[in-house]
Amino acid sequence: MEEREQALPLRQSPRIILRHWSIVLVLVVFASLPSCQPWPKFDYGDALAKSLLYFEAQRSGRLPHRQRVTWRADSGLTDGLEQGVDLVGGYYDAGDNVKFGLPMAFTITMLSWGVIEYGQQIAAAGELDHALEAIKWGTDYLIKAHTHPRVLWAQVGDGYTDHYCWQRPEDMMTSRQAFKVDEENPGSDVAGETAAAMAAASIVFRETNPHYSHLLLYHAQQLFEFAEKYRKKYDESVPTAKGYYPSVSGYGDELLWAALWLYKATTDSSYLDFVAANAYSLGGITWAMSEFSWDVKYAGLQLIASTVPSPLFSSN
C-alpha cells in the first residue's frame, strides 16, 4: 500500500490525507465519550438522500424538469461537437468540469450494485426513483460515448487547462476536447469498466424498462469484446488522463470485473469460463487487497465470484 500511495498523482494526495484525518477524528470523538454514554444515532436515510442529491449537482448537459438542485443550470451543451459526436450529458468529476470516463463508469457500476443488493431498503427510504435516475443519467451518456463497437469516448475536457480556472460549468470557457479509445489506441480498463456499468445497470432496469435493459446489455457485450481483444491501458492512449485517473492496476481487474457482471446479467457460461481461465493470469487471485476503488476492482470481483456456485468452476 505504501508503494501505491507514492505512485498516486498529486491530485489524489488530499483524498488520502483526508481519509487518514477522518479516522483520527473519529477515534478522538469516540475516545472522548464517557463509557456509559450510548452510541450516537445516525440518520442513514438522510445520508442516502444527500448522497443521491450530490449526483444531481454533478450533472452535465441539459437538466431535466425534475432537477432538485435548482442552482445548477444547463452546461456542456456543445460537448463532442468539434469531434462530430454527441457527448452531451453525464457527470462532471469531483470539483472540476472534466468528464472522466473511468471513474464515471465505476460510479454507475457501484450505484447499480447498490440498487441490486439493497433495492428494497432504498425504496423503503423513499429514494429508489432518485437512485434509478442517477444511474440512467450516467448510462444514457455511456451509450452516447460508445459510438462504434470498437470506439469509446473516454474523456471530455482537459484536466490541465480546466484546473487553471476554477469556475461554474455554466460559465466554463476551458477546453472541451474529447478523447477516445479505439482499435489503434485501445483502452481495456475504461472499456471494461463501462461494460461492467452497463451490464450491472441492465440488471437494475430488467423489470421496469426491459427495452432499455436489452440496449445496455447490447453495448456491454460489444465493449467487453473490444476490451478483451484489443488490450492496452487507456492512459497510454489518452495521456491526459494519466495525471488524474491513471490505471495503476492495469486492465486485468476490469476484464474480470466486466466478465462477472456480464455473467450476472446474462447467465452465459462463456463469461464465467473466461473468469475461470484468466483469474490467475489477470491477477484476480494473486493480489493482496488493501483497496477497492475506481482503479482497483479485485476485491469487488472476488466478492462477486464468491457468490457463484462452485460447481460452475469445477471444470477449471
Side-chain angles (χ1 to χ4, degrees), residues 43 47 49 56 114 243-244 292:
D43 188 344
E56 294 192 24
Y244 302 90
F292 177 55

Side-chain angles (χ1 to χ4, degrees), residues 17-40:
I17 295 170
L18 178 61
R19 183 179 65 207
H20 291 167
W21 276 106
S22 297
I23 294 172
V24 171
L25 179 60
V26 170
L27 290 175
V28 169
V29 170
F30 285 120
S32 64
L33 293 174
S35 58
C36 59
Q37 183 172 331
W39 291 100

Side-chain angles (χ1 to χ4, degrees), residues 135-141 143 201-202 205 209-217:
I135 294 169
K136 193 172 186 296
W137 191 267
T139 51
D140 283 350
Y141 173 78
I143 289 172
S202 76
F205 293 107
N209 195 340
H211 174 76
Y212 191 65
S213 175
H214 286 303
L215 178 63
L216 290 170
L217 201 53

